[in-house]
Amino acid sequence: SFEFGWDWGIKMTPRILKGLFLVITFSFVVVLLLSQYFILGNSAKKSASKQAALNVKLHPSFDLEKAVFVKEYEAQVTTYRHKTTGLEVLAVTWLRDEDNNLLHRLGPSSHSDGNRNHEKVFGIHFRTPAPDSSGITHILQHSIMRGSVKYPTKDPFLTLVKGSLQTFLNAMTYPDRTSYVFASRNTKDFYNMMAVHMDAVFHPRAVEDERVLQQEGWHFDVDGKTAELAYSGVAYNEMKGVLFSPDQIFKQALRTALFPDTPYANDSGGTPASIPSLTFENFKLYHQKYYHPANAKIVVTGINEVDSFLAATDSFLAGFEGSPESKKSSEIPWQKKFKTDDRTHHGHHVYYSGSKANGLIVADAWLLNDEPLTPLDEMGLVILNQLLLGTSSSVLQKALLESGLGDALVGNGLETELLQSYFAVGLSGVKESMRDEVGKLIKKTLQKVEREGFTNDDMTAAVNTIEFRLREFNTGTTPKGVSFMLSIMTKWIYDFEPTHRLEYESALEELKKSISKRRSRVFKKLVRKYFLSNKHRVRVTVAPSETLERELREEERTRLSKIENYLSPAALQAIVTNAMELNKAKRESDSEEALATIPTLGLSDIDPSPTEHPIDVQENAFSLGVTVVKHKLPFTAGVAYVDFGVDLSNVPYDHLSALCLFADILTETGTNSMSDIELHRQIGMYTGGIETSLVVLPRSSNPDRITAWDEKDLVTKLFIRGKATVQNIKKLFELYNLILTDANLDLRDKVIELLKETIHKLENDIPDRGSDYANLRLRARHNLFGFLEEKRKGLESLRAYRNLLQQAENNWPGLLDKLHTVRNTIFSRRQGMVLNLTGDSRVFFAMQDLHVKFLDHLPGEDHLSTAP
C-alpha cells in the first residue's frame, strides 16, 4: 500500500487518490471551459463595442484621415478632408447616449437620427490671425451675421431663432480664430441652421455691400449737435467702451507683452484709433483668403448618419477649389522665448479711463513654452496651477490676498487656449508705492514652493479635484458637445492631434505614479523650470487715468479736423447723405420675399413626446416639513449630486445684504474646528467641489400675477451643492453639516478680503455688461422678484457690498451680530428645507440612510425620531 501524508495528518489510499485525481481533473476542465467562456464573452463584448466605435461612415467627396476611439469619454472621433477644397471635418459619435444606452443598439425614429438623447452640435472654425489692430477679425465676425446671398435678410439668425429649437447659438472671436457654433436636438432644425451658417460664412452679403462694413465696423458721420465730422459704427463704439474696462485692457496688454513678435501682439477686437484704417478692399481680401474652405475646420457631434452630414457639407462647397495659401498664411508663428528678463524690470504700462483711487493692476506673467509641451508636463502644470491658485487657501492666492498689497486677484494663472501656454497672476487696487512689492511677493512665494514643496494632502486634494473634473466632464447648461468641441479646437486649430486634450488618462496616471515616488519634487522641478529659471517673464501694469478719455477725444478731434479740412463741401454732404441712408436702412424692415428664404420648422418636424426624467418627491418627509427629492438615473458614473436648501422667508429684509455675505463666506472661512486651509483641503480630497448660492424664484409664471408684490409668491432658499463618488458620500454630508452649522463667521480679515474681491469683480463687470445691469434696474420696479434681483445682483448690490466693507472695517461686532442672526434664523426650523439627491443605483445603494442621519443632526425645532 501507498501512503501520502499532509501536514494535517490525512492518509491517502490508492482509491482515494484516484477519486481525488478525477475530481481535480474535472474541476480543472470546468474552470478552463468557464474561463474560456467568459474570456470569449468579454472579448465578443469588447469586439462589439469596438466595432460600434469604429463604424466609420464614408463619402466619395471626402478622404478619411483618421478614426480614433477616445476611451475617456467613450467617443469615436473621425476626421475627414474634402478632396477638392481641403476643408476638414471632425465627427464625434458618442458610444453611449445620455441614458448610458449603447447607441448602436438604437434604431432611428421618424423624428431623430438614432441619437435623439444627444444634442446635435455644429461648429465651423477659421484660423484668423489679426494683421493689425484694425479689428478686422472682430468686424468680419459681426458682418458675417448680416445676411448672405441665399438668405438676404439684415439679420437672418435673429429671424431663424424665432422658428428654431436651438439650444445654443453663438459666434466667438478669439485672438487667433473665429468660431460659429450652434446646437439643436431636432434634426431638421440642425440642418436648417447649418444651411444658414454655411451660406453666411462663405457667401456673406458683407463682401458685396460696403454698407455692412460701415454699419458694423465704422463710417464717417456728422455730429448732430456740433455739425463736426465724427466716427461711428457698432464695433467702433463697442471698443471705445473698452477704455473703461481695466480687465479687458489688462488681458490684451498681457498678450502684447508676452507675444511681441506674433499676431497676438495686435488687438483682434480693434482699437478706436486703428479701426478707421480698415478699408473695404482689405476687408474683402481678408475674407477671400481666410474664410476659404481650405482654412476651415468643422466639428460635428451627436450625428450618427455622418455620411448624410458629409453629403450636406459637400453641397455647400460647390464652386470652390483648393487654396493652399489660405491655410499656410493663417499659421500662427511661435514666439521665441526671451534670453534675458530685462522686460520684467522695464515693464509694460498701459492705461484705462478711471479714478486714481482705484489703484493699479500689477501682474507678472511667464511664457511657458516655445515648442509643444509634453503631455506629462502639461498635466503637471494643470495640477500645479490648482496647487498655487485653485482655492482661496492655495499658497500663492493666499499669499497675495492676505498681503494687503491689493484688493483682488487678477490673471487666471495657467492659460492653455492659445498656441503657447502662459501663466499670469497679480493684484488689482495696488498703490503706486507698492507696485514693485507685488512681483517680489510672487517670486518669494514661488521660491518657497521650490524650497519646501507641498504636503501630501495638498497634492492629493489637487489631483483629486482635477481628476474629478476631467472624468465627470460636467458642462452645466452648455451642451456637452459644445464643450467637447471647444476643447478639441484648442489643439486642432493649430493642426495638432485634435484628441490631445481629451486623452488625459495616460498622462494623469504617469503623473500620479511620479508623485507617489518623488512626492513634492515633481512640482518643485516644474516651478524651477517654468518660473524661477524662465527668462520670458513680463510685468504688466494697468494704471487708471482721469484724463485719458479727454486726451483720446482730443487726438481723435485733431485727426478728424485734418480730414475735414481736405474734404470739399460736396464730399462732406456725401458723408451726411450716406449716414442718413445707413440710419434709414437700419430702420427698414426686410421684405416678405427675403424673410421667406429663412427655413422654419413645422409641427410635423417636432417630436411630440416629452423627455421623461425619473423623479420621486416626498413632501413633508419624516413629518418635519422637509421635502426630499430623488432622481435615480441610469448612469452617473457612481457620482452622487447632493443639493440641500434651507428656507429664508424668516430672514428680516434689513439683513438681506448680510444674508448675501453669509452665503459668500460659508465655504471660505473654515469652521470653528477646522481652518480655511484644512476645509479646502478636505473638500478637494473627498469631493468634486462644494459651493453655496442664494435662490430667489417666483412660484408662478402666470402673467396675471407678474406684478404681484406678495412675498408668498416667491421661493427663497440658501442652497449648498456638492458632489462625491460613492465611497465619499458620508464625508460629503459631514462637510455639509460642518459648513452649515459650524462655519467660523468671526474671521474679520478674511471677510474684508472677500468683500474687496467681490467689489472689484462687480466694478469691472458693470462696464462690460451695462445693458444687463440696466435691465435689472428696470425690472426692479415691476415686481418683488425683480426688486430682489436688483438688490442681490444689480447696481444696488455694489452699493450694498461697499457698505458691508465699511461695516467690516469700522464696526465688525455689529456686522458679526447680523451674520449670526442670519444663521440662527434660517436654522430655527425645519419647514421649507429641501434635499435633492441625484445618482445611479450605486449611489443610492451606498447612500442608504446617510441623508437621514444628516438631517437628524441639523439644528432646528424638530428632530427625527424614526427612520424612513
Side-chain angles (χ1 to χ4, degrees):
S1 65
F2 180 80
E3 292 185 359
F4 183 83
W6 282 324
D7 290 339
W8 29 289
I10 296 180
K11 294 182 179 180
M12 292 291 175
T13 65
R15 180 174 295 180
I16 292 174
L17 282 171
K18 183 177 180 181
L20 182 62
F21 175 78
L22 290 173
V23 169
I24 292 173
T25 303
F26 178 76
S27 300
F28 175 77
V29 171
V30 170
V31 170
L32 181 64
L33 290 172
L34 285 173
S35 65
Q36 289 297 309
Y37 172 79
F38 284 114
I39 290 171
L40 290 173
N42 288 333
S43 176
K45 290 178 181 178
K46 290 179 180 177
S47 177
S49 296
K50 186 175 181 181
Q51 182 179 0
L54 298 179
N55 184 18
V56 177
K57 304 293 179 67
L58 303 175
H59 187 275
S61 295
F62 288 84
D63 287 324
L64 173 65
E65 296 282 299
K66 194 173 184 180
V68 177
F69 179 64
V70 181
K71 64 178 182 180
E72 286 84 346
Y73 298 109
E74 293 196 292
Q76 175 187 324
V77 176
T78 311
T79 49
Y80 304 86
R81 187 182 300 274
H82 192 247
K83 293 178 180 179
T84 304
T85 66
L87 176 140
E88 296 172 272
V89 174
L90 184 149
V92 178
T93 305
W94 309 112
L95 182 61
R96 296 179 183 273
D97 67 10
E98 292 172 359
D99 291 331
N100 200 39
N101 299 308
L102 283 172
L103 286 174
H104 70 275
R105 293 178 180 172
L106 298 178
S109 70
S110 59
H111 295 289
S112 82
D113 61 357
N115 209 350
R116 70 184 295 271
N117 287 330
H118 270 294
E119 283 165 296
K120 300 155 187 61
V121 176
F122 171 96
I124 184 164
H125 313 262
F126 300 90
R127 204 158 55 199
T128 51
D132 48 40
S133 294
S134 66
I136 189 169
T137 61
H138 175 203
I139 295 168
L140 186 53
Q141 179 250 302
H142 275 251
S143 303
I144 290 294
M145 316 299 283
R146 294 295 174 256
S148 61
V149 171
K150 191 173 180 181
Y151 307 104
T153 63
K154 292 187 298 182
D155 195 338
F157 294 93
L158 181 61
T159 307
L160 181 66
V161 297
K162 294 176 181 178
S164 167
L165 297 177
Q166 58 85 20
T167 55
F168 186 92
L169 177 63
N170 202 3
M172 296 161 275
T173 303
Y174 296 84
D176 56 11
R177 60 190 182 271
T178 308
S179 302
Y180 303 85
V181 182
F182 69 83
S184 178
R185 288 182 177 269
N186 183 281
T187 301
K188 183 174 181 181
D189 189 38
F190 174 87
Y191 282 108
N192 284 350
M193 298 194 76
M194 179 183 174
V196 176
H197 274 79
M198 294 291 274
D199 203 58
V201 297
F202 292 131
H203 307 289
R205 182 170 63 93
V207 297
E208 303 295 335
D209 187 349
E210 187 174 357
R211 292 178 301 174
V212 178
L213 169 60
Q214 293 175 347
Q215 192 74 57
E216 299 300 321
W218 76 277
H219 63 271
F220 285 119
D221 203 346
V222 174
D223 192 295
K225 294 181 179 179
T226 64
E228 293 177 329
L229 197 63
Y231 292 124
S232 189
V234 174
Y236 178 81
N237 293 332
E238 179 184 335
M239 299 316 293
K240 285 185 77 172
V242 170
L243 295 174
F244 301 91
S245 176
D247 276 1
Q248 289 197 44
I249 290 178
F250 168 68
K251 290 174 184 177
Q252 181 54 48
L254 269 181
R255 291 193 291 269
T256 301
L258 284 169
F259 304 97
D261 307 317
T262 76
Y264 294 136
N266 299 317
D267 191 334
S268 60
T271 64
S274 299
I275 288 175
S277 67
L278 178 59
T279 65
F280 185 49
E281 187 61 29
N282 287 339
F283 181 76
K284 292 192 296 182
L285 289 173
Y286 191 92
H287 176 269
Q288 181 181 344
K289 177 186 286 189
Y290 295 113
Y291 275 70
H292 190 281
N295 191 45
K297 294 178 185 286
I298 290 176
V299 179
V300 61
T301 75
I303 293 288
N304 270 1
E305 281 73 24
V306 177
D307 48 350
S308 299
F309 174 81
L310 294 175
T313 303
D314 181 53
S315 69
F316 297 118
L317 303 178
F320 284 101
E321 299 295 331
S323 177
E325 179 58 25
S326 293
K327 187 174 180 65
K328 184 172 180 57
S329 63
S330 72
E331 290 179 357
I332 309 298
W334 287 80
Q335 171 67 53
K336 291 299 179 183
K337 295 178 76 171
F338 304 152
K339 302 301 181 183
T340 65
D341 58 359
D342 289 343
R343 304 193 190 212
T344 304
H345 302 305
H346 294 302
H348 184 84
H349 304 271
V350 293
Y351 297 90
Y352 72 97
S353 183
S355 170
K356 289 186 177 181
N358 295 336
L360 309 174
I361 292 176
V362 181
D364 278 7
W366 291 260
L367 181 65
L368 301 182
N369 62 310
D370 53 8
E371 60 184 19
L373 292 166
T374 65
L376 183 61
D377 270 13
E378 192 167 3
M379 181 62 71
L381 286 167
V382 171
I383 305 296
L384 177 60
N385 185 68
Q386 178 68 20
L387 284 163
L388 293 173
L389 295 170
T391 70
S392 61
S393 61
S394 296
V395 57
L396 184 52
Q397 182 175 164
K398 188 175 181 66
L400 285 167
L401 290 177
E402 293 184 355
S403 67
L405 294 174
D407 296 336
L409 205 70
V410 296
N412 296 319
L414 181 66
E415 289 285 355
T416 60
E417 294 294 311
L418 304 181
L419 174 65
Q420 294 167 262
S421 298
Y422 65 91
F423 184 98
V425 67
L427 288 169
S428 66
V430 179
K431 294 179 180 179
E432 177 69 35
S433 59
M434 294 287 106
R435 63 191 305 170
D436 293 334
E437 299 304 312
V438 176
K440 290 178 182 178
L441 178 58
I442 293 171
K443 184 176 182 180
K444 179 182 177 182
T445 306
L446 291 172
Q447 287 173 333
K448 181 181 178 182
V449 169
E450 197 264 345
R451 186 172 60 252
E452 300 177 4
F454 302 98
T455 68
N456 290 339
D457 283 350
D458 284 335
M459 291 185 291
T460 300
V463 170
N464 179 70
T465 297
I466 299 302
E467 183 173 5
F468 201 110
R469 195 177 298 161
L470 289 169
R471 295 192 187 285
E472 183 193 30
F473 202 69
N474 187 343
T475 62
T477 58
T478 302
K480 178 181 177 181
V482 172
S483 296
F484 209 74
M485 170 191 298
L486 297 179
S487 183
I488 285 171
M489 292 312 301
T490 60
K491 296 298 179 183
W492 196 36
I493 197 69
Y494 309 113
D495 299 321
F496 297 143
E497 283 296 324
T499 57
H500 176 82
R501 286 189 69 172
L502 305 173
E503 297 174 305
Y504 62 83
E505 189 75 57
S506 60
L508 181 61
E509 288 306 309
E510 186 179 353
L511 181 65
K512 287 161 73 173
K513 289 178 182 178
S514 182
I515 294 172
S516 68
K517 292 179 181 179
R518 301 176 58 232
R519 300 298 179 182
S520 201
R521 284 175 292 170
V522 172
F523 299 107
K524 289 181 180 182
K525 181 181 177 181
L526 292 175
V527 169
R528 184 166 55 252
K529 176 180 179 181
Y530 289 105
F531 297 98
L532 298 178
S533 300
N534 185 357
K535 300 296 183 182
H536 198 113
R537 177 165 64 108
V538 298
R539 180 160 300 147
V540 174
T541 303
V542 182
S545 170
E546 296 175 352
T547 61
L548 179 64
E549 185 183 10
R550 185 182 71 246
E551 291 167 2
L552 293 177
R553 189 166 57 243
E554 290 173 354
E555 288 178 11
E556 180 182 291
R557 182 71 261 142
T558 301
R559 287 199 310 272
L560 287 167
S561 294
K562 290 179 180 178
I563 295 171
E564 197 169 356
N565 290 336
Y566 284 102
L567 294 175
S568 65
L572 280 172
Q573 183 56 47
I575 288 173
V576 173
T577 302
N578 182 63
M580 292 174 63
E581 290 177 352
L582 286 174
N583 287 327
K584 180 182 177 183
K586 186 166 61 174
R587 292 192 301 268
E588 286 178 346
S589 301
D590 290 308
S591 67
E592 291 297 325
E593 293 78 11
L595 290 171
T597 64
I598 306 298
T600 58
L601 291 176
L603 286 177
S604 60
D605 301 317
I606 300 173
D607 187 348
S609 59
T611 301
E612 298 288 347
H613 297 286
I615 183 171
D616 175 31
V617 180
Q618 186 179 3
E619 295 185 1
N620 195 26
F622 324 121
S623 301
L624 293 171
V626 180
T627 300
V628 177
V629 183
K630 295 181 180 180
H631 305 274
K632 191 172 182 180
L633 302 179
F635 184 73
T636 63
V639 175
Y641 298 88
V642 180
D643 305 331
F644 177 67
V646 293
D647 183 56
L648 302 175
S649 59
N650 276 4
V651 176
Y653 170 73
D654 60 0
H655 282 52
L656 177 59
S657 60
L659 172 63
C660 294
L661 177 60
F662 177 78
D664 291 342
I665 68 175
L666 268 181
T667 59
E668 298 298 326
T669 55
T671 70
N672 292 314
S673 59
M674 192 183 297
S675 70
D676 58 332
I677 296 175
E678 180 59 26
L679 177 61
H680 283 132
R681 187 181 292 145
Q682 294 274 309
I683 291 172
M685 289 174 64
Y686 298 110
T687 80
I690 296 176
E691 60 184 26
T692 56
S693 63
L694 293 179
V695 173
V696 178
L697 294 171
R699 289 185 185 275
S700 172
S701 58
N702 186 340
D704 296 333
R705 303 185 64 186
I706 196 66
T707 58
W709 285 81
D710 190 344
E711 63 181 21
K712 294 179 182 179
D713 290 333
L714 294 177
V715 175
T716 54
K717 306 282 185 190
L718 167 65
F719 269 98
I720 183 168
R721 308 176 191 275
K723 50 201 171 186
T725 52
V726 289
Q727 64 268 31
N728 291 320
I729 296 174
K730 181 180 179 181
K731 189 67 176 181
L732 180 68
F733 279 121
E734 290 174 356
L735 288 170
Y736 273 20
N737 193 288
L738 270 175
I739 291 168
L740 289 170
T741 65
D742 195 43
N744 181 10
L745 305 180
D746 191 5
L747 213 60
R748 177 177 176 271
D749 291 344
K750 185 70 173 182
V751 171
I752 289 174
E753 171 192 310
L754 293 169
L755 283 169
K756 287 181 177 179
E757 190 167 7
T758 301
I759 290 168
H760 167 80
K761 290 177 179 177
L762 282 168
E763 288 175 341
N764 284 282
D765 191 48
I766 289 169
D768 294 341
R769 299 195 302 113
S771 59
D772 293 337
Y773 283 90
N775 188 37
L776 278 171
R777 192 76 172 179
L778 290 170
R779 290 171 60 189
R781 301 180 66 86
H782 195 50
N783 56 29
L784 181 58
F785 172 65
F787 177 78
L788 292 176
E789 288 295 276
E790 164 64 14
K791 286 286 186 180
R792 293 194 310 119
K793 301 177 181 178
L795 296 173
E796 286 296 314
S797 69
L798 177 58
R799 181 179 290 111
Y801 277 113
R802 285 171 174 167
N803 290 335
L804 286 169
L805 179 58
Q806 288 183 356
Q807 291 178 56
E809 292 175 333
N810 303 318
N811 183 21
W812 174 247
L815 180 56
L816 181 61
D817 183 64
K818 286 186 177 181
L819 292 173
H820 280 296
T821 298
V822 167
R823 180 162 63 187
N824 293 337
T825 301
I826 64 178
F827 286 112
S828 63
R829 60 176 188 169
R830 299 287 184 89
Q831 274 66 31
M833 290 183 177
V834 177
L835 182 63
N836 183 42
L837 307 170
T838 303
D840 53 25
S841 57
R842 285 185 293 169
V843 167
F844 284 99
F845 178 79
M847 189 176 299
Q848 297 188 25
D849 63 345
L850 290 175
H851 63 298
V852 183
K853 294 177 180 177
F854 162 70
L855 292 173
D856 194 26
H857 284 87
L858 287 173
E861 60 186 21
D862 300 308
H863 292 276
L864 294 175
S865 57
T866 58

